[in-house]
Amino acid sequence: LRTPNSSSPSPAAAPGALPPEGTIGISFTTGQRGQLHITSIRAGSPAELSGVLRVGDELVSVDGIELQTGGGRPLLQHQAAALLRGRAGTQLKLGFVRPQAAAPTTPSHA
């Protein structure tokens, strides 16, 4: 994914607010075991334009840095967010796991 090159604020930006430069346009939350799940993808963002990430995906690495350390101790949410930010135009290599969709069930007839 490539962070945006534009330095102009987005149309929805509040007066005086900084544009979301150097982000890929995702929001995430921390699960019970410290895993990071994507909760939203901003429209028009590099994440959306790539067509790769989906809401619900679990981020496991950023540029080869595992988000769960070898001892099972996860990075804090703000530490992971810092790895996802950078200078506009920067490319990131993300590792992620997509949850398996529930297998369709066949109705049984008694």
Side-chain angles (χ1 to χ4, degrees):
L1 296 174
R2 184 183 296 269
T3 55
N5 286 320
S6 172
S7 61
S8 60
S10 64
L18 296 175
E21 290 184 60
T23 68
I24 61 170
I26 63 171
S27 296
F28 53 88
T29 189
T30 305
Q32 293 177 334
R33 297 182 333 267
Q35 70 277 31
L36 301 175
H37 294 282
I38 297 174
T39 55
S40 67
I41 299 174
R42 188 171 47 252
S45 69
E48 182 193 48
L49 297 175
S50 76
V52 175
L53 297 174
R54 295 183 190 162
V55 170
D57 287 349
E58 177 184 339
L59 295 176
V60 294
S61 66
V62 178
D63 286 337
I65 299 170
E66 291 187 24
L67 301 179
Q68 290 270 359
T69 62
R73 199 167 151 237
L75 291 178
L76 298 175
Q77 193 168 353
H78 73 277
Q79 293 169 317
L83 291 174
L84 292 166
R85 292 181 208 249
R87 187 183 319 201
T90 303
Q91 290 191 8
L92 294 174
K93 183 177 180 182
L94 301 179
F96 64 96
V97 175
R98 179 152 300 139
Q100 295 294 322
T105 58
T106 306
S108 60
H109 300 284

